[in-house]
Amino acid sequence: METRTVQTDDGDGRLELHSIGSATGGEVPGVVIIHGTLVTDALYLPFARRLSLLLRRPVHCYNRRGRAGSTPQPGTYSAETEIADLRQVMATMGATDVVAHSYGGFVALQAARTIPIRRLVTYDAAVSLSGNLNERWRPELEEAVQVGRLNHAWAHLVQGLETAGPVSRLPLGALRLLSIVSARTRLGEEMRRLLPTAVAEMQAVLAADSTIEDFSEVAVPTLMLSGGWSPGYFAETGRLLAASVPSIEFSLVPGQLHEGPLRPGRRLPLRVARFLADGQSA
């Protein structure tokens, strides 16, 4: 694995990037992975390694703004910030394909409307269609972050998005206690530190609320995946877009939770690799 810095196109910004396989892509175009909210690209490296071995192509993971070695989110942060960063990463690394998880899926689908991507795979893409994610937004989350009540904020995030499986259905008091306990772990501490970025990212999703017709111009062959045990709204969005946009298809991955790309196993990387390799439905 090689670590490098990619300069953003808005001045002095930078993105920390990790490459599996060839760092530059060379004659073999690479694949870019876009991570989700409250995490860094480090959790996706095992998935990237499997994908690189299956495809025999370089796979590049980068830290989006606001985490690890990348530039903080700017005051003007929006979906356009992420789209511009993805464009810069793809151009710098000679990548043609994109794999994206959760909020990363939102970024990738927005980007597919304006920048050239050869093939795209999303997993539980967090796309807002006609306001269907409005009820997932908890104003208490932003208020809690502003006053430093991070355990309260984490509880509202988990309960609102329902991405933690059965844990998401616990009462707020139990979730706050769980946050206190998890903060003693490295991952839990990191998630708490990233809560301000989650607020900005959720606001970006809602601000970019779209209709199905807004995606009609997407010509990129796209496979939208959702876990069989993921919150149902992800699959609902995938099915709606696949039914209306010819370039998009949808598939459910049985037995997978929302954090599927972060878990060990070959099933999900294989589904992704098959689509990227030959365009056949996974």
Side-chain angles (χ1 to χ4, degrees), residues 123-196:
Y123 184 89
D124 283 355
V127 177
S128 180
L129 287 178
S130 301
N132 70 323
L133 295 188
N134 286 345
E135 65 184 41
R136 302 289 168 184
W137 168 248
R138 300 283 184 87
E140 298 91 341
L141 165 61
E142 182 178 7
E143 294 166 4
V145 168
Q146 288 175 346
V147 298
R149 299 179 63 197
L150 299 184
N151 296 316
H152 193 68
W154 187 86
H156 276 290
L157 179 71
V158 169
Q159 198 176 73
L161 296 181
E162 298 184 7
T163 51
V167 171
S168 300
R169 294 191 287 273
L170 291 173
L172 281 175
L175 288 171
R176 285 195 295 269
L177 180 60
L178 182 59
S179 176
I180 294 172
V181 173
S182 67
R184 299 171 184 170
T185 68
R186 181 179 177 182
L187 179 58
E189 180 185 7
E190 185 173 76
M191 291 177 71
R192 285 163 57 91
R193 189 167 60 250
L194 291 172
L195 276 167

Side-chain angles (χ1 to χ4, degrees), residues 74-145:
T76 56
Y77 177 83
S78 69
E80 291 302 320
T81 307
E82 297 284 3
I83 293 170
D85 288 350
L86 173 61
R87 181 188 295 112
Q88 196 75 355
V89 168
M90 293 182 69
T92 301
M93 305 311 297
T96 57
D97 297 347
V98 174
V99 178
H101 177 216
S102 194
Y103 181 79
F106 157 73
V107 171
L109 283 167
Q110 295 294 325
R113 296 161 63 178
T114 58
I115 69 175
I117 298 173
R118 191 188 72 94
R119 291 202 174 282
L120 168 62
V121 180
T122 69
Y123 184 89
D124 283 355
V127 177
S128 180
L129 287 178
S130 301
N132 70 323
L133 295 188
N134 286 345
E135 65 184 41
R136 302 289 168 184
W137 168 248
R138 300 283 184 87
E140 298 91 341
L141 165 61
E142 182 178 7
E143 294 166 4
V145 168

Side-chain angles (χ1 to χ4, degrees), residues 79 106 110 113 127-129 203-211 214-215:
F106 157 73
Q110 295 294 325
R113 296 161 63 178
V127 177
S128 180
L129 287 178
Q203 290 174 335
V205 169
L206 298 180
D209 183 62
S210 308
T211 65
D214 291 327
F215 290 93

Side-chain angles (χ1 to χ4, degrees), residues 49-69:
R49 291 189 183 96
R50 294 186 185 96
L51 194 58
S52 180
L53 287 172
L54 288 167
L55 291 172
R56 297 182 180 180
R57 295 170 60 186
V59 177
H60 312 289
C61 300
Y62 70 100
N63 277 310
R64 295 190 292 98
R65 304 219 195 187
R67 63 212 78 213

Side-chain angles (χ1 to χ4, degrees), residues 3 5 7 20 46 75 86 104 111 137 168 187 233 279-280:
T3 302
T5 297
Q7 297 298 315
I20 307 295
L86 173 61
W137 168 248
S168 300
L187 179 58
Y233 61 88
Q280 296 300 310

Side-chain angles (χ1 to χ4, degrees), residues 5 10 21 45 50 73 106-107 111 129 164 173-174 224 227 233 240 245 250 259:
T5 297
D10 59 354
L45 295 178
R50 294 186 185 96
Q73 291 176 333
F106 157 73
V107 171
L129 287 178
M224 295 186 69
Y233 61 88
L240 286 172
V245 184
F250 171 78
E259 64 265 28

